[in-house]
Amino acid sequence: MSEFTTYSSDGGVAVITMNNPPVNGLGFGVRKGLIEGLKKALDDKSVKAIVVTGSGKAFSGGADIKEFNTPKMSAEPSLHAVIAAIESAEKPVIAAVHSVAMGGGLELALGCHYRVAVPGAQIALPEVKLGLLPGAGGTQRLPRVIGVEPALNMIVSGNPVPSEKFANTKLFDELIQGELIPGAIAFAKKIADQRPLPKVRDLKIDYPNHEAFFQFARNTVGAVARNFPAPMKCLECVAAAVTMKFEDGVKFEREQFAYLVQTTESKALRHAFFGERAASKIPDVPEDTPTRTIKSAAVVGAGTMGGGIAMNFANAGIPVTVLETKQEALDKGLATVRKNYENSMKKGRLTPDKFEQRVGLIKGTLTYDDIKNADIVIEAVFEEMGVKEMVFKKLDEVMKPGAILASNTSTLDVNKIAAFTKRPQDVIGTHFFSPANVMKLLEVVRGAKTGKDVLATTMALSKKIKKTGVVSGVCDGFIGNRMIEQYSRQAGFLLEEGCLPEQVDKAVEKFGFAMGPFRMGDLAGNDIGWAIRKRRYAERPNMVYSKTADLLCEMGRFGQKTGAGWYDYKPGDRRPNPSSLVNDMIVKHSKDIGVERRKIGDQEIVERLVYALVNEAAYILEEGIAQRASDVDMVYLTGYGFPLYRGGPMLYADTVGLSNVVSAMEKYAKGRNGQFWKPAPLLAKLAAEGKTFN
Ligand SMILES: NC(=O)c1ccc[n+]([C@@H]2O[C@H](COP(=O)([O-])OP(=O)(O)OC[C@H]3O[C@@H](n4cnc5c(N)ncnc54)[C@H](O)[C@@H]3O)[C@@H](O)[C@H]2O)c1
């Protein structure tokens, strides 16, 4: 027997148990073990029926992700072959389902003659979430056992449904209330002699009005799926289950699967899936690095960020105390938090119980004495080194030994902040994104002296509060904002050379960004960038940057909060309206600096903005600020609204081809402000070698 399956037989029933922790992924070893077990059971005359199940925490979670992109993935026996062998077996095969039956795991169960399950098992075909479809008969068999509409919902959404919901369907022949295996064996004995053996493939689908239904579904799914082809392909496969013979439907399903696997959208989704996992790995901080216990937290500053950060802890069940200097600021901050939770409750996303529980976990204080015992404290006060210095000196004085001292700074030097304390090993940057209770990204900034256990604890915490933690080294702007500076710089140049804000935003939004740079500026507040630029103009007098954004701020147009920014806003309406005042200012500015405005196409706009990100990221990678290209992609997918179906700036550049990216940059280098288009050495090298970032 393979080490991935075990075999036992007792009283005429053989039990084959998959054993491939953590979720019995259907890797090569499991597939081989299933075939061997089946053969053994079929050869053994004393065996009358065969139960297939999984050990540990799952029946089976589907494909073994460890095998993705390896030859083992497609090595025979394939999942198709295993299912065919089970389905054509001359003795009844019963799937005994518990905990999780997903993807290939569910398809395997559907290939068995019978299925029994315990209540509470999670049943799903989640392939669509990776831009794929269930390719081992799932789209053809599931509609035959639970009906077309429920099957379509499951396959198009990929969401799990608890097993008891299928009590009266052909998916499960019996729901077992007691222990699964004895129940499955008893069931097997009961049906052992029944012939012919039932096969899901033989079930007829009777759906008289299917054409009207599928037409309706096409409209709905098409509207939701937008740039992703997989949901529609899932739908067409389910339609094929109704209109085609089983064999033809399976063939059609395979063809659609083969098509989807090579789409950039599926590649992007798989990249993001693996990128999320990769981001949590730090080469010199092994997974068994001891972590510190986080049972309580504190936040200093109850402003825009502090309140949202506190909510993250409360949502994870960790009590948190928020410290402010003045009662008024504290009251205001806590009132905002309460309001956010009330809104969630009104929208039905939070029960009244949970509301009370979460609000109850957040306390306010004006004294450090109330936070000194917290396991972690996150500072979110004004972005001024002097204020940070005061706060960190105080934290160093009062916090218990071993507490993690984190800063939410977005631009300041975390090493300098750490040096304000006598325990720099306990200091780390936790850069949340606004709104901090919503945005998935958390840049975890590793200072020169940050302890490995502090880093490991903070990464584990980011998972606990449901963030995508990405490690960044210390530099101005860390990964995300350092890159966005180059993007914003190009956006400003585009205005000077001939674009208006609306044209730039539209081009970038058509590319797939959630928001173009100028709408984004109006949302975040143009004054924030203005303050940063003023600091930089002082630090680097030769900095080249379009003055348009400064002129805008000088007009008092800070964005939505002042009712006017790059666009005009009507009261209570966030929709942007082009502003003739701003557009005149831009055109006049071009004239003032002697630039003849020209017509600029969408392709140039997108290339200049996106390649500016890519080139800066190449420097960031070379300097070791980011650990890997997929980390950069995760930052942009989870924090900056980069289109998921393109997989992030680095995967996008890989898809375009790095030599094409470099050629475009060489072209722009001949234009105005061409000095910004020198390819980073890493980019130039990879392009010359025909390689990719990812
Ligand atoms: N706003 C954003 O989008 C954003 C995003 C990421 C990071 N950040 C960073 O987060 C930090 C906070 O930013 P914000 O936007 O929440 O600022 P904010 O001005 O909204 O809030 C700061 C709060 O800190 C309080 N405060 C000031 N000094 C204090 C002290 N000594 N002790 C206790 N409280 C004090 C103020 O009363 C105020 O309520 C900054 O470092 C900023 O760079 C901001």
Side-chain angles (χ1 to χ4, degrees):
M1 261 306 71
S2 135
E3 60 176 304
F4 294 99
T5 53
T6 55
Y7 181 96
S8 65
S9 108
D10 188 16
V13 179
V15 179
I16 306 171
T17 307
M18 298 179 271
N19 184 24
N20 183 21
V23 293
N24 299 319
L26 294 162
F28 172 70
V30 172
R31 302 194 303 266
K32 189 160 159 278
L34 284 168
I35 291 283
E36 287 167 6
L38 186 68
K39 185 167 181 322
K40 187 167 173 182
L42 293 175
D43 288 348
D44 183 343
K45 287 210 173 56
S46 72
V47 170
K48 301 285 178 228
I50 304 150
V51 169
V52 174
T53 192
S55 66
K57 288 193 286 191
F59 171 76
S60 169
D64 189 343
I65 61 166
K66 294 193 286 288
E67 281 188 3
F68 266 54
N69 301 325
T70 73
K72 274 192 174 174
M73 177 128 194
S74 49
E76 289 294 339
S78 65
L79 182 56
H80 284 104
V82 175
I83 292 172
I86 289 176
E87 198 171 47
S88 59
E90 281 159 11
K91 296 177 186 176
V93 183
I94 301 104
V97 170
H98 65 93
S99 312
V100 167
M102 289 196 185
L106 180 56
E107 292 179 296
L108 175 73
L110 286 166
C112 295
H113 304 113
Y114 300 94
R115 286 154 300 281
V116 298
V118 284
Q122 296 291 301
I123 310 298
L125 289 175
E127 287 80 353
V128 72
K129 296 192 175 183
L130 296 182
L132 300 170
L133 52 77
T139 65
Q140 304 305 295
R141 289 192 178 90
L142 193 63
R144 286 176 156 82
V145 292
I146 67 169
V148 171
E149 291 179 34
L152 184 69
N153 281 339
M154 279 182 71
I155 295 169
V156 167
S157 74
N159 293 335
V161 177
S163 50
E164 63 272 18
K165 288 256 163 79
F166 301 106
N168 296 314
T169 70
K170 292 179 182 140
L171 177 54
F172 294 121
D173 298 278
E174 203 170 292
L175 275 184
I176 291 178
Q177 297 302 338
E179 266 191 70
L180 175 63
I181 300 304
I185 291 174
F187 177 86
K189 286 183 176 161
K190 207 163 62 188
I191 53 83
D193 296 325
Q194 283 181 23
R195 295 293 184 280
L197 292 171
K199 294 177 187 168
V200 172
R201 64 192 288 145
D202 295 337
L203 295 171
K204 292 276 168 294
I205 299 183
D206 187 20
Y207 200 163
N209 290 322
H210 66 264
E211 274 156 24
F213 168 71
F214 282 116
Q215 200 42 51
F216 166 76
R218 272 184 198 101
N219 293 339
T220 324
V221 172
V224 181
R226 311 227 335 238
N227 294 302
F228 292 96
M232 207 56 126
K233 293 285 180 198
C234 288
L235 184 149
E236 296 309 340
C237 287
V238 175
V242 181
T243 57
M244 293 183 191
K245 285 197 297 216
F246 181 82
E247 289 74 19
D248 295 340
V250 166
K251 189 161 163 274
F252 181 75
E253 179 195 83
R254 271 203 206 203
E255 287 163 6
Q256 303 311 308
F257 183 88
Y259 165 77
L260 286 176
V261 168
Q262 48 74 41
T263 57
T264 47
E265 293 83 358
S266 174
K267 285 180 188 157
L269 287 170
R270 282 178 277 151
H271 177 63
F273 177 83
F274 287 109
E276 172 102 33
R277 277 155 186 73
S280 66
K281 299 192 166 62
I282 308 161
D284 66 329
V285 182
E287 273 172 41
D288 57 2
T289 304
T291 53
R292 301 185 187 178
T293 310
I294 304 289
K295 286 218 169 93
S296 62
V299 175
V300 184
T304 312
M305 296 305 287
I309 295 170
M311 288 174 75
N312 283 301
F313 286 108
N315 296 348
I318 301 171
V320 53
T321 307
V322 183
L323 181 134
E324 262 288 350
T325 43
K326 293 200 183 73
Q327 188 66 43
E328 198 188 338
L330 183 61
D331 291 346
K332 192 168 161 231
L334 293 181
T336 307
V337 167
R338 197 180 174 87
K339 196 148 195 157
N340 282 339
Y341 279 130
E342 271 168 6
N343 285 341
S344 300
M345 192 164 62
K346 274 189 206 138
K347 288 181 187 146
R349 291 198 210 121
L350 204 62
T351 61
D353 272 5
K354 286 231 164 90
F355 169 83
E356 290 300 337
Q357 189 194 4
R358 291 189 188 175
V359 170
L361 283 169
I362 303 177
K363 301 257 181 313
T365 184
L366 299 175
T367 129
Y368 277 86
D369 209 38
D370 288 338
I371 66 165
K372 65 181 184 201
N373 289 319
D375 297 317
I376 184 169
V377 51
I378 298 187
E379 164 278 310
V381 302
F382 300 136
E383 186 75 342
E384 282 166 34
M385 203 46 118
V387 188
K388 306 279 187 202
E389 175 172 3
M390 217 164 64
V391 171
F392 272 83
K393 283 192 167 151
K394 184 77 187 171
L395 290 175
D396 191 26
E397 201 182 298
V398 302
M399 296 307 291
K400 70 174 182 187
I404 293 178
L405 315 182
S407 172
N408 187 49
T409 179
S410 26
T411 52
L412 300 176
D413 183 341
V414 173
N415 292 330
K416 231 182 204 166
I417 294 176
F420 296 139
T421 73
K422 288 186 276 313
R423 34 176 143 170
Q425 74 282 359
D426 294 342
V427 177
I428 193 163
T430 46
H431 185 213
F432 286 82
F433 286 70
S434 181
N437 53 318
V438 177
M439 296 296 287
K440 283 277 289 173
L441 178 60
L442 179 62
E443 278 183 327
V444 175
V445 185
R446 180 179 190 174
K449 295 192 176 154
T450 303
K452 288 186 181 182
D453 60 334
V454 170
L455 187 57
T457 306
T458 309
M459 290 303 279
L461 176 69
S462 86
K463 209 171 265 178
K464 176 127 204 229
I465 60 173
K466 299 204 168 73
K467 299 287 176 199
T468 300
V470 177
V471 178
S472 170
V474 175
C475 68
D476 196 353
F478 313 127
I479 299 172
N481 283 346
R482 177 168 155 185
M483 287 164 64
I484 210 79
E485 190 183 334
Q486 301 303 327
Y487 168 100
S488 305
R489 174 177 279 118
Q490 288 301 322
F493 289 161
L494 284 166
L495 294 186
E496 293 180 346
E497 291 169 36
C499 293
L500 293 175
E502 194 187 21
Q503 188 198 356
V504 176
D505 283 346
K506 283 221 164 110
V508 175
E509 286 159 22
K510 206 162 114 203
F511 173 79
F513 266 96
M515 224 181 260
F518 299 109
R519 277 181 61 204
M520 180 65 98
D522 278 0
L523 179 71
N526 297 307
D527 51 323
I528 295 179
W530 194 28
I532 297 173
R533 279 194 306 282
K534 280 191 207 157
R535 197 186 84 206
R536 295 219 172 107
Y537 288 138
E539 286 167 6
R540 300 179 233 156
N542 297 329
M543 187 172 83
V544 183
Y545 213 91
S546 167
K547 284 267 178 287
T548 45
D550 301 338
L551 294 171
L552 184 83
C553 289
E554 284 167 22
M555 293 161 83
R557 301 181 66 109
F558 293 168
Q560 289 189 16
K561 62 182 169 192
T562 55
W566 293 105
Y567 297 94
D568 290 334
Y569 296 89
K570 294 195 182 105
D573 188 348
R574 288 168 174 270
R575 275 174 305 180
N577 302 296
S579 157
S580 54
L581 220 61
V582 171
N583 293 352
D584 289 350
M585 175 273 282
I586 292 168
V587 173
K588 178 173 178 295
H589 178 64
S590 301
K591 206 167 160 205
D592 289 349
I593 58 172
V595 175
E596 192 167 333
R597 295 177 68 80
R598 65 185 169 93
K599 199 169 168 349
I600 297 175
D602 284 1
Q603 184 182 346
E604 177 174 343
I605 295 173
V606 169
E607 283 184 354
R608 282 176 59 175
L609 295 185
V610 177
Y611 295 170
L613 293 176
V614 171
N615 202 36
E616 190 63 27
Y619 284 113
I620 285 174
L621 280 171
E622 250 178 326
E623 292 167 22
I625 296 292
Q627 304 184 98
R628 49 182 85 80
S630 65
D631 280 11
V632 173
D633 285 335
M634 291 320 293
V635 165
Y636 266 73
L637 292 175
T638 57
Y640 291 83
F642 198 94
L644 176 59
Y645 62 93
R646 298 192 190 274
M650 309 314 266
L651 189 73
Y652 176 69
D654 288 345
T655 309
V656 172
L658 298 188
S659 60
N660 293 326
V661 173
V662 168
S663 304
M665 290 174 60
E666 284 164 352
K667 187 177 75 195
Y668 297 128
K670 294 192 188 106
R672 196 172 159 263
N673 289 316
Q675 71 272 28
F676 290 102
W677 289 112
K678 195 172 154 14
L682 176 67
L683 172 58
K685 178 170 169 282
L686 292 174
E689 292 170 354
K691 292 191 177 147
T692 55
F693 284 118
N694 283 291

